[in-house]
Amino acid sequence: MNLIELDKNHILNTYAKSYINFSHGISSTLYSDGEDYIDFASGIGVNSVGHANDELTNALCEQAKKIIHISNLQVIEPQVMLAKKIVELSGFDMGIFFANSGAEANEGAIKLARKYGSLGDKKRYKVITLEHSFHGRTITTVKATGQESFHNDNFSPYPDGFGYVKQIKDIYKAIDDETVAVMLELVQGEGGVESFDREEVRDLAKYLKKHDILLIIDEVQSGVYRTGEFLASNLYGITPDIISLAKGLGGGVPIGAVMTFLKDLFIPGDHGSTFGGNYLSSRAGITVLNILSNLKDSGDIDERVKYFGDKVDNIADAHKNLFSESVGIGFMRGLRVKDDEVLAKIMKLSIDNHLLILKAGRNTVRFLPSITIRKDEIDEGFKRFDKALSAI
Ligand SMILES: *Cc1c(COP(=O)(O)O)cnc(C)c1O
């Protein structure tokens, strides 16, 4: 059997995939059978420092030769140092629990909120989320996801306590005396690269604080410099009660994190994760944050964010027949396509032209390049994209 047949035989059929078999990559260029592809997807916002980054590779090799994993029953030095770095970069004096994925981080966030809601005179457990949101694939986080298509009956029953509203302004009237938290992405990723208005989010944060309702910000996609700032919460100037992180944090090594000001809420036995924050993933996280925070300090990230953003806007202008809008922030950008069929064509032609991009809800082409993508790779990627679009 060839590789495609083996894949079909042994791997469960959960993804509509293209069968390109990459052998290696460097920076934002991937190779398959001697042909190069420009990577504007970074493994769905995961490879934040690109492929085969020397500093990350060396740190991982060095760490693997010492200890990869013990358990959270002992102190894990790199985990502590990673938490300290996250606190420094975010400016939030929070406590952190490490997990292995975005969904697992959000599960932790929801458990924190529910415990908080159990402490008052009257139990509060409801969490309000937004339509077009995406919070993960576990039974609970899929239910937290505000897209009805995700809650089909094949997987029911789902946990109670999740309600959805269309827009931020609808949150206020959805709150009742059982509501304990509001959970949202500041820039909805899977839902269509939709960013919310900063004033509106700040007003909501103030209102929730005043009414003792927790604000959970899902930064699984928007965190770790994706928007140009360390956290989208920093960019928006808000101070959430709970923040979840994952995708870009380990540069490809699985890691998730839930951060909170409620440092004393969980006690031993409340929550856990066997792998969470082990030596290898924590070392990956520290290395990624060192690389990216240095680039941020030098002004390099801001410069390339602008460079990339201008290219997105220019291509939207040049192909007004295909795109209705250019959306998103920083290295989390999208183009709204006028219809479904055109989006499918754009996806196919991009691959044919050796460019990896993503799609998202609301007929959106989505770009999530590595935070370290070089200018020449940006140029080459948009050249290929333009060529793909011109073939429609
Ligand atoms: C990807 C994503 C998740 C789920 O993360 P996994 O690591 O796939 O579990 C949750 N929330 C947001 C905003 C995401 O983009």
Side-chain angles (χ1 to χ4, degrees):
M1 275 197 255
N2 66 23
L3 183 65
I4 296 177
E5 287 161 353
L6 284 168
D7 181 287
K8 289 188 170 160
N9 200 25
H10 296 301
I11 304 298
L12 294 186
N13 185 26
T14 56
Y15 285 94
K17 65 182 88 167
S18 62
Y19 283 91
I20 306 164
N21 178 20
F22 291 114
S23 55
H24 65 288
I26 182 139
S27 187
S28 291
T29 310
L30 284 158
Y31 295 89
S32 172
D33 284 334
E35 308 212 354
D36 63 275
Y37 288 70
I38 298 292
D39 184 5
F40 276 6
S42 68
I44 321 185
V46 166
N47 304 305
S48 47
V49 296
H51 302 281
N53 178 289
D54 273 342
E55 215 174 317
L56 180 59
T57 314
N58 290 338
L60 291 175
C61 290
E62 200 182 276
Q63 187 60 53
K65 287 180 190 162
K66 293 194 238 164
I67 308 179
I68 289 177
H69 176 86
I70 53 167
S71 71
N72 283 297
L73 299 171
Q74 283 82 33
V75 67
I76 300 171
E77 186 175 336
Q79 185 188 106
V80 178
M81 301 321 282
L82 174 58
K84 181 169 172 280
K85 184 84 183 170
I86 290 173
V87 165
E88 281 166 14
L89 294 176
S90 65
F92 298 141
D93 181 19
M94 290 174 156
I96 302 180
F97 174 87
F98 286 101
N100 306 283
S101 68
E104 198 191 349
N106 284 336
E107 288 272 346
I110 293 163
K111 278 180 75 176
L112 266 171
R114 284 205 172 174
K115 180 154 190 198
Y116 185 75
S118 75
L119 298 178
D121 298 338
K122 181 173 165 37
K123 185 175 169 67
R124 296 186 292 152
Y125 67 101
K126 290 182 184 166
V127 177
I128 299 171
T129 68
L130 285 173
E131 281 186 16
H132 300 288
S133 60
F134 182 79
H135 298 298
R137 294 286 195 165
T138 60
I139 292 273
T140 299
T141 56
V142 94
K143 186 62 178 166
T145 292
Q147 303 184 48
E148 282 305 331
S149 60
F150 279 79
H151 315 147
N152 69 52
D153 252 345
N154 295 332
F155 310 110
S156 62
Y158 295 94
D160 287 340
F162 294 94
Y164 324 103
V165 296
K166 262 198 162 50
Q167 296 176 52
I168 288 189
K169 68 176 167 49
D170 303 325
I171 291 173
Y172 300 92
K173 55 180 183 292
I175 292 171
D176 65 26
D177 62 358
E178 290 180 321
T179 303
V180 70
V182 168
M183 174 150 109
L184 49 99
E185 300 152 88
L186 296 173
V187 190
Q188 289 182 336
E190 314 294 318
V193 201
E194 180 77 10
S195 55
F196 294 108
D197 178 73
R198 294 180 204 188
E199 266 324 299
E200 211 181 3
V201 170
R202 281 190 210 132
D203 288 346
L204 174 72
K206 261 184 240 153
Y207 180 90
L208 296 178
K209 183 119 303 184
K210 195 167 147 215
H211 291 83
D212 190 32
I213 292 166
L214 301 178
L215 177 59
I216 305 173
I217 300 296
D218 180 346
E219 296 233 29
V220 168
Q221 192 162 148
S222 64
V224 193
Y225 297 100
R226 180 59 51 201
T227 63
E229 296 302 322
F230 176 56
L231 298 177
S233 297
N234 298 135
L235 181 70
Y236 273 67
I238 56 166
T239 304
D241 301 285
I242 302 173
I243 297 171
S244 55
L245 292 177
K247 289 191 165 88
L249 184 57
V253 180
I255 187 165
V258 43
M259 329 169 34
T260 184
F261 284 109
L262 304 165
K263 287 189 181 188
D264 302 319
L265 194 54
F266 276 165
I267 58 169
D270 275 345
H271 197 47
S273 172
T274 301
F275 293 112
N278 77 13
Y279 281 80
L280 194 73
S281 60
S282 298
R283 186 68 188 271
I286 296 173
T287 311
V288 163
L289 295 188
N290 281 336
I291 295 168
L292 295 181
S293 59
N294 287 336
L295 283 180
K296 176 70 184 175
D297 292 345
S298 73
D300 178 81
I301 290 184
D302 295 339
E303 191 191 320
R304 279 178 305 103
V305 153
K306 179 162 182 344
Y307 193 77
F308 191 85
D310 287 347
K311 292 264 176 185
V312 177
D313 292 340
N314 290 343
I315 208 125
D317 272 349
H319 297 272
K320 280 207 172 79
N321 55 324
L322 301 175
F323 303 118
S324 57
E325 206 185 348
S326 163
V327 291
I329 301 176
F331 281 132
M332 190 171 180
R333 295 294 306 260
L335 292 168
R336 289 277 152 68
V337 181
K338 286 181 178 159
D339 71 73
D340 252 14
E341 272 169 41
V342 174
L343 178 57
K345 275 189 201 150
I346 292 174
M347 297 310 293
K348 170 155 194 325
L349 284 162
S350 293
I351 282 280
D352 292 349
N353 282 281
H354 289 196
L355 172 68
L356 296 188
I357 56 172
L358 297 161
K359 56 183 181 174
R362 300 185 239 203
N363 289 337
T364 310
V365 171
R366 180 170 44 149
F367 305 110
L368 294 177
S370 134
I371 313 299
T372 55
I373 189 169
R374 298 190 314 254
K375 278 186 178 169
D376 63 291
E377 291 171 322
I378 297 174
D379 290 344
E380 182 60 29
F382 280 104
K383 207 167 110 198
R384 293 180 190 191
F385 193 55
D386 190 54
K387 199 164 157 230
L389 298 177
S390 305
I392 288 175

